[in-house]
Amino acid sequence: MSTEESTITASTAESESKPGSDGGELAGEGSLTVTDNRTGKSYEMPITDGTVRGMDLRQVKTDEDDFGLMVYDPAYMNTASCRSSITYIDGDAGILQHRGYPIEQLCEHSSYLEVAYLLINGRLPTQSELTDWVDEITIHTFVHENVKDFMQGFRYDANPMGMLVASVGALSTFYPDANRIHDERVRAIQIIRLLAKMPTLAAFAFRHNMGQPYVYPDNDLSYAGNFLGMMYKMTELKYEPDPRLERALDVLFILHADHEQNASTSAVRSVGSTQVDPYTAVAAGVAALYGPLHGGANEAALRMLARIEKVENIPAFLEGVKAGEERLMGFGHRVYKNYDPRARIIKKYLDDVFEVRGKSPLLEIATELEKRALDDEYFTSRKLYPNVDFYSGLIYEALGLPVAMFPVMFAIGRTSGWIAQWLEMVQDSEQKIARPRQIYTGERDRDYVPISKRG
Ligand code: CMC
């Protein structure tokens, strides 16, 4: 070790508890001793919840003028940006829980709007609370007539995610008091409006693409049923959704409801930390979800299955993946190193959807592809398992959705999680405007050169 390097040791012994940097007693978890080999000085920092505070490192200085040590962590690979009690994930064990309830139980017994209530309020509602919640959301599904004109302004083939980013953000112009984010009652009505209007905006975007008239919400229908109606109703006086499709869609919304600090949620928190209104913060979430590395993988998985074309082509395709020519889309996850519990649940609903819509020829390819990959040392040794995107595209396709709508479906479900995370952030006294540091690598102290003298 060079003398420029520093040493870090951790202690967990209770007896070694000493005052932390804030002067308080260290938690029973112990402390971290850092020795700065540049100066020979040692510093002790409390370990709380398996973390040390980045700001505690600032005391590590070479002299009084030194700014102090910072943490360099591109892409936040090892940085906890908040304390949260909304969603728990154990990626090694393949566990996903919302407010402590396993995703499997929520998908079996709950509805999307009940899960939204749970995420946002921290507990399951009583029957009367749920009835009021669903009623409130149902009567707010209509959007201002001007939204239709706004939508009409897009080109006929505009991507529906681009339309959603713009139209969710535009809602803030209809509700200017939404920027009073510290008023609990004002916040509550915006939360209802966001949950209620998101499917309406999404369906309008779809109908615009199809060149079809927009369909107004039907307050007699469920959240998922109303969405199907706004998407597919034509000349019939009353749209009646098939209960199997309605339930499958509701479960898909539950499965996408929240996934702790992913890229789009971090975008909502970051933009929301400026104290902007929630419509604008959620528009930032939709924008982040638009990217192919986040909300677009379901589309890529479906295209891949179509390209494989038939089961006989699977071995050659997998050889290509193993040779590094491409990735098996819908497989692998940054957090899950086990079967993604969401993929397991989606599989159960495929049969219901295919029973109504007819079986997709791609299902056989997907099933065989999964089986072969899970039998293959390349995938097992790297802990690559199907993720939520492996099968969700098959359901969306069976529902008659173009691939450009797949991330929009993700956004509808994720809205409840974005809101819950935004609400937690605005009420967290430790949070401030999100503002990372940088390591400056550019030039300094140059004198301006007139344009006539530049080479
Ligand atoms: N197919 C083939 N090999 C893979 C795959 C895959 N889908 N995913 C990872 N690997 C290999 C990778 O080549 C590497 O191998 P090696 O150690 O020999 O270099 C090893 O597994 C580790 O991969 P990594 O890229 O370091 O893992 P990561 O955590 O950075 O990437 C991931 C996670 C999801 C981006 C990646 O698994 C992937 O690209 N999967 C396909 C895209 C996909 O399905 N994305 C949806 C994610 S779930 C939806 C969401 O939450 O947004």
Side-chain angles (χ1 to χ4, degrees):
M1 182 185 285
S2 88
T3 51
E4 290 292 286
E5 289 173 349
S6 299
T7 51
I8 296 179
T9 57
S11 154
T12 52
E14 290 268 341
S15 58
E16 291 182 17
S17 281
K18 295 207 176 86
S21 57
D22 58 359
E25 237 354 69
L26 298 187
E29 274 188 81
S31 63
L32 179 78
T33 303
V34 177
T35 304
D36 185 347
N37 291 337
R38 298 169 303 177
T39 60
K41 279 196 203 160
S42 283
Y43 304 83
E44 187 154 15
M45 297 164 196
I47 298 176
T48 312
D49 296 323
T51 61
V52 289
R53 288 195 172 248
M55 279 304 284
D56 282 351
L57 284 173
R58 288 277 286 281
Q59 61 186 308
V60 182
K61 298 178 173 195
T62 49
D63 56 49
E64 267 310 299
D65 295 335
D66 185 1
F67 184 76
L69 274 189
M70 294 193 299
V71 175
Y72 180 54
D73 188 14
Y76 308 120
M77 296 284 286
N78 196 36
T79 296
S81 62
C82 61
R83 303 173 71 84
S84 183
S85 60
I86 300 171
T87 292
Y88 172 79
I89 300 175
D90 180 337
D92 290 327
I95 290 172
L96 170 61
Q97 299 180 348
H98 295 314
R99 302 286 190 183
Y101 296 99
I103 188 70
E104 293 79 6
Q105 289 186 28
L106 293 172
C107 286
E108 193 169 345
H109 305 295
S110 194
S111 64
Y112 174 68
L113 287 187
E114 187 182 43
V115 171
Y117 185 101
L118 172 70
L119 290 169
I120 292 164
N121 294 292
R123 61 176 177 82
L124 287 168
T126 62
Q127 182 58 60
S128 68
E129 285 169 337
L130 181 60
T131 306
D132 289 350
W133 174 251
V134 173
D135 286 352
E136 275 287 297
I137 291 169
T138 306
I139 60 169
H140 281 91
T141 47
F142 277 69
V143 290
H144 194 287
E145 282 291 287
N146 280 1
V147 171
K148 281 182 11 195
D149 301 336
F150 177 80
M151 284 280 186
Q152 290 287 7
F154 286 103
R155 273 180 67 104
Y156 68 98
D157 60 351
N159 186 292
M161 269 307 254
M163 294 171 77
L164 195 64
V165 174
S167 52
V168 176
L171 285 184
S172 71
T173 66
F174 292 90
Y175 309 109
D177 63 336
N179 60 9
R180 287 165 48 204
I181 61 159
H182 296 300
D183 184 326
E184 196 180 333
R185 287 175 51 197
V186 173
R187 277 199 312 249
I189 181 65
Q190 316 315 328
I191 288 172
I192 297 282
R193 284 178 177 145
L194 265 167
L195 286 169
K197 297 181 198 308
M198 202 69 170
T200 312
L201 297 177
F204 280 15
F206 172 75
R207 301 284 292 208
H208 182 82
N209 269 192
M210 304 301 287
Q212 293 171 352
Y214 305 146
V215 175
Y216 287 116
D218 180 345
N219 288 355
D220 293 339
L221 297 177
S222 72
Y223 193 78
N226 175 46
F227 179 67
L228 288 170
M230 291 188 292
M231 297 281 287
Y232 300 120
K233 184 169 182 288
M234 293 307 287
T235 54
E236 63 271 44
L237 285 179
K238 185 92 182 153
Y239 181 84
E240 285 177 16
D242 186 292
R244 289 161 295 182
L245 298 184
E246 197 177 354
R247 180 63 190 153
L249 190 57
D250 205 53
V251 169
L252 275 172
F253 288 154
I254 297 176
L255 287 173
H256 288 91
D258 194 50
H259 216 230
E260 50 117 313
Q261 307 311 313
N262 52 83
S264 58
T265 300
S266 302
V268 170
R269 279 182 173 263
S270 190
V271 171
S273 78
T274 66
Q275 303 196 351
V276 76
D277 67 87
Y279 302 104
T280 306
V282 166
V286 183
L289 193 67
Y290 200 168
L293 293 186
H294 194 0
N298 46 19
E299 174 182 343
L302 194 86
R303 287 191 199 282
M304 172 195 75
L305 294 174
R307 193 161 40 87
I308 293 174
E309 210 181 337
K310 43 190 183 195
V311 167
E312 298 82 73
N313 294 339
I314 291 176
F317 170 78
L318 285 178
E319 284 314 310
V321 170
K322 284 152 62 172
E325 287 161 18
E326 62 181 305
R327 289 205 159 189
L328 174 49
M329 298 311 285
F331 255 65
H333 199 275
R334 172 62 59 76
V335 180
Y336 293 119
K337 298 304 168 197
N338 201 323
Y339 212 103
D340 181 337
R342 300 171 299 175
R344 210 186 294 279
I345 296 168
I346 288 185
K347 268 173 88 173
K348 285 199 233 160
Y349 288 89
L350 277 170
D351 288 343
D352 285 353
V353 173
F354 290 152
E355 201 178 285
V356 186
R357 295 289 187 159
K359 199 164 166 182
S360 164
L362 300 181
L363 176 65
E364 192 190 358
I365 298 171
T367 313
E368 188 61 23
L369 189 55
E370 176 191 337
K371 190 163 151 277
R372 294 202 189 204
L374 295 182
D375 268 350
D376 194 310
E377 197 270 339
Y378 175 93
F379 296 94
T380 51
S381 65
R382 288 169 177 77
K383 299 189 175 168
L384 300 172
Y385 294 88
N387 60 49
V388 68
D389 291 321
F390 195 66
Y391 288 107
S392 62
L394 285 176
I395 293 196
Y396 295 142
E397 190 206 27
L399 290 174
L401 290 170
V403 284
M405 275 296 285
F406 291 8
V408 172
M409 305 302 289
F410 194 152
I412 296 174
R414 185 54 56 88
T415 299
S416 55
W418 288 330
I419 293 169
Q421 300 273 351
W422 169 79
L423 194 60
E424 189 177 66
M425 193 257 321
V426 297
Q427 296 180 103
D428 181 349
S429 59
E430 266 200 302
Q431 292 293 337
K432 290 166 176 276
I433 186 167
R435 206 311 184 174
R437 296 276 176 181
Q438 64 166 8
I439 301 171
Y440 179 68
T441 59
E443 306 276 354
R444 288 194 55 195
D445 301 332
R446 299 160 106 184
D447 285 324
Y448 182 80
V449 182
I451 199 159
S452 57
K453 299 213 169 131
R454 290 176 213 160

